[in-house]
Amino acid sequence: MAARSVVALVSVAEVVAGDLADHLERRGHDVRQARQPWEAESLLSAGGIDVVVVGDDVTQAEGRELLKRYGGEGGADFILICRPRDLVDKVLALELGAADVVESPLNVRELAARIGGLLTRRGRNTQELIVLENATVDLRSAMVMHRSGAEDQLSPGQVALLRLFLASPRKVLTRDDIIAAAPAENADAFDRSIDSRIVRLRRKLDTETITTIRGAGYRFDPPRSD
């Protein structure tokens, strides 16, 4: 099993750091935090960090110094948070090799997506994403991320059921197929319980891709990518 990716948050505002750390950890990443730049020196010098997010609670000069010392080839990817209208500082950070510069106030989910993109390029992203009509599903963390911004957690049984459909696109699966490959999470595995499980899964995914084939079973029709 691959080691978890590691994200360091340096001097990120507490209200943002808490939400961001929770967001990343639920997606399978390890998060380490340093409140002050001098604490970051010890954290980053130990190595093993994939992405560093430097908050705007530090000066841009301090952020650029950390970038010069611990970024670059062979180092961590840096995302610097800057205040609006700091165009010169933004350009300087990018010229020094920052992977990204984002302005505050920021959206935690967007920042997490940017971090995920960097981890993917490093071959370190632990996500396994499935895109449906109204939501994106991360199968590894069992997380459903709706377009509205809301999130839902899938149960182990629901993940097994979804994986079964994904493995057999456009194929009709009978109730016996489902019971055998994705058994219920409790003793109530009678024929009719399959109907209830499908309804709950459809509702949680907000999808119409799982179709009931009357008298036969269920079929998963992947959404078209236009």
Side-chain angles (χ1 to χ4, degrees), residues 75-94:
D77 284 325
F78 272 70
I79 297 177
L80 273 63
I81 300 173
C82 71
R83 293 182 173 85
R85 298 181 297 278
D86 285 346
L87 180 61
V88 173
D89 287 323
K90 190 173 185 177
V91 171
L92 281 173
L94 291 170

Side-chain angles (χ1 to χ4, degrees), residues 164-165 167-174 177 211 213 217-222:
L164 175 61
F165 281 119
S168 307
R170 301 182 181 87
K171 176 183 176 182
V172 176
L173 299 176
T174 67
D177 291 334
T211 306
I213 308 300
Y218 303 92
R219 186 184 66 220
F220 172 66
D221 297 309

Side-chain angles (χ1 to χ4, degrees), residues 88-135:
V88 173
D89 287 323
K90 190 173 185 177
V91 171
L92 281 173
L94 291 170
E95 288 179 341
L96 286 171
D100 204 352
V101 180
V102 297
E103 291 185 356
S104 60
L106 49 84
N107 180 282
V108 167
R109 187 168 174 178
E110 178 187 350
L111 180 54
R114 290 172 182 265
I115 292 169
L118 293 177
L119 291 170
T120 296
R121 290 199 286 275
R122 293 174 71 95
R124 299 284 290 144
N125 203 335
T126 59
Q127 293 181 314
E128 187 179 349
L129 300 179
I130 306 300
V131 180
L132 300 173
E133 319 98 293
N134 302 307

Side-chain angles (χ1 to χ4, degrees), residues 16-201:
V16 174
D19 288 345
L20 182 59
D22 180 62
H23 203 84
L24 293 170
E25 287 168 349
R26 283 187 285 128
R27 282 155 181 75
H29 310 303
D30 283 339
V31 178
R32 301 173 187 171
Q33 298 192 45
R35 301 297 181 190
Q36 301 295 331
W38 61 267
E39 294 177 308
E41 294 282 349
S42 175
L43 174 61
L44 300 181
S45 63
I49 306 295
D50 295 298
V51 176
V52 180
V53 180
V54 180
D56 59 5
D57 282 353
V58 303
T59 67
Q60 292 297 311
E62 289 172 322
R64 291 196 297 269
E65 183 60 30
L66 290 173
L67 171 60
K68 285 191 289 185
R69 294 187 62 182
Y70 301 106
E73 187 175 352
D77 284 325
F78 272 70
I79 297 177
L80 273 63
I81 300 173
C82 71
R83 293 182 173 85
R85 298 181 297 278
D86 285 346
L87 180 61
V88 173
D89 287 323
K90 190 173 185 177
V91 171
L92 281 173
L94 291 170
E95 288 179 341
L96 286 171
D100 204 352
V101 180
V102 297
E103 291 185 356
S104 60
L106 49 84
N107 180 282
V108 167
R109 187 168 174 178
E110 178 187 350
L111 180 54
R114 290 172 182 265
I115 292 169
L118 293 177
L119 291 170
T120 296
R121 290 199 286 275
R122 293 174 71 95
R124 299 284 290 144
N125 203 335
T126 59
Q127 293 181 314
E128 187 179 349
L129 300 179
I130 306 300
V131 180
L132 300 173
E133 319 98 293
N134 302 307
T136 299
V137 185
D138 180 358
L139 284 172
R140 294 197 183 183
S141 63
M143 187 71 62
V144 183
M145 297 162 280
H146 297 278
R147 290 186 184 277
S148 65
E151 295 182 345
D152 276 313
Q153 191 79 37
L154 295 175
S155 69
Q158 289 174 328
V159 171
L161 185 54
L162 180 54
R163 284 189 183 277
L164 175 61
F165 281 119
L166 292 169
S168 307
R170 301 182 181 87
K171 176 183 176 182
V172 176
L173 299 176
T174 67
R175 290 182 174 85
D176 287 341
D177 291 334
I178 294 172
I179 291 172
E185 296 170 80
N186 53 47
D188 184 22
F190 297 110
D191 195 47
R192 276 295 133 194
S193 74
I194 297 298
D195 298 335
S196 299
R197 291 176 63 195
I198 297 296
V199 168
R200 288 193 294 270
L201 181 63

